[in-house]
Structure formats: C-alpha cells, structure tokens
Amino acid sequence: ESLRLFDDEATLKRVEGLQAVMKEVGNQFAALEHVGDVRTLGGIWAIELVVDRGSRQIFEPPNGPGWRIAQALWDQGIWVRPLHNVLYLVPPYCTSPAELRRVFEVLYSEVRKRTHFEE
C-alpha cells in the first residue's frame, strides 16, 4: 500500500522539488560569516556553524549556537536537528517547495541573528 501511495502521489517527483530548493539556498547560507559548509544529500540538508570560516574553528561549546537556533525554530514549529556544530534539516516528503522556502527564510534569519554574540 505504501508503494502504491508513492506512485499515486508522485512522491519521488515531489522530493526532487524539495532537493532543488535545498540546492538553491545553499549559496545564500554559504555566504554567511559563521557558516563553514553547507551540504545536501538526497533529502538531507546540513549547515556547519563555525567561529571562523578560514580556520574552521568551532564555537565553544560546539553546539552553543546550534541549540539557540534550533530552539528559536522549534518555538516557531520548525524542526531542525542540532548535532555538535552542525544543524540538520530533513523535511517531510509532504512539504511543499513554498513551505520549504519559508523554513529556509526563518532559518537564515536565525543563523544571522544567533551566531553574532560575544565569544
């Protein structure tokens, strides 16, 4: 039944649309001062938070800004997963490209706001 739903609802085609949005926003995030790397793999998107992009020095504690960003998004009903100095986003397959773009707008704002603090 699950496989039939995948076919009937063109799930894989919808996932391709989500992957396109993930790739589309990568450069915007990569340009931020405290972003060391932006990665996508299938339906997984990740951003590495660093003190200094050149040296790849990470924050102390490493999960400090990631947890602050995650909490701000959780408070808005958006689920991201902070692990060490990396934030992961794995949107459900039922997410629309427009919804995912909105998630990235909120995430971008929070990354900019919450990585600029006294170290």
Side-chain angles (χ1 to χ4, degrees), residues 16-30:
E16 288 174 6
L18 299 179
Q19 291 169 333
V21 172
M22 290 179 188
K23 290 178 183 174
E24 174 186 310
V25 300
N27 289 337
Q28 177 185 12
F29 280 86

Side-chain angles (χ1 to χ4, degrees), residues 20-59:
V21 172
M22 290 179 188
K23 290 178 183 174
E24 174 186 310
V25 300
N27 289 337
Q28 177 185 12
F29 280 86
L32 292 175
E33 177 183 0
H34 294 290
V35 172
D37 193 20
V38 178
R39 303 183 284 271
T40 60
L41 178 63
I44 303 169
W45 186 90
I47 184 174
E48 177 189 36
L49 302 172
V50 295
V51 173
D52 178 68
R53 185 186 332 220
S55 69
R56 304 291 285 243
Q57 177 188 355
I58 61 175
F59 290 97

Side-chain angles (χ1 to χ4, degrees), residues 48-107:
E48 177 189 36
L49 302 172
V50 295
V51 173
D52 178 68
R53 185 186 332 220
S55 69
R56 304 291 285 243
Q57 177 188 355
I58 61 175
F59 290 97
E60 285 298 329
N63 62 352
W67 277 99
R68 283 191 295 277
I69 293 165
Q71 183 65 57
L73 269 73
W74 296 338
D75 290 346
Q76 297 179 61
I78 299 170
W79 181 255
V80 294
R81 174 76 163 125
L83 284 172
H84 198 55
N85 69 319
V86 179
L87 278 175
Y88 292 87
L89 177 66
V90 184
Y93 292 164
C94 62
T95 306
S96 74
E99 290 169 329
L100 186 56
R101 281 187 186 89
R102 177 66 185 132
V103 166
F104 279 120
E105 287 174 14
V106 174
L107 178 58

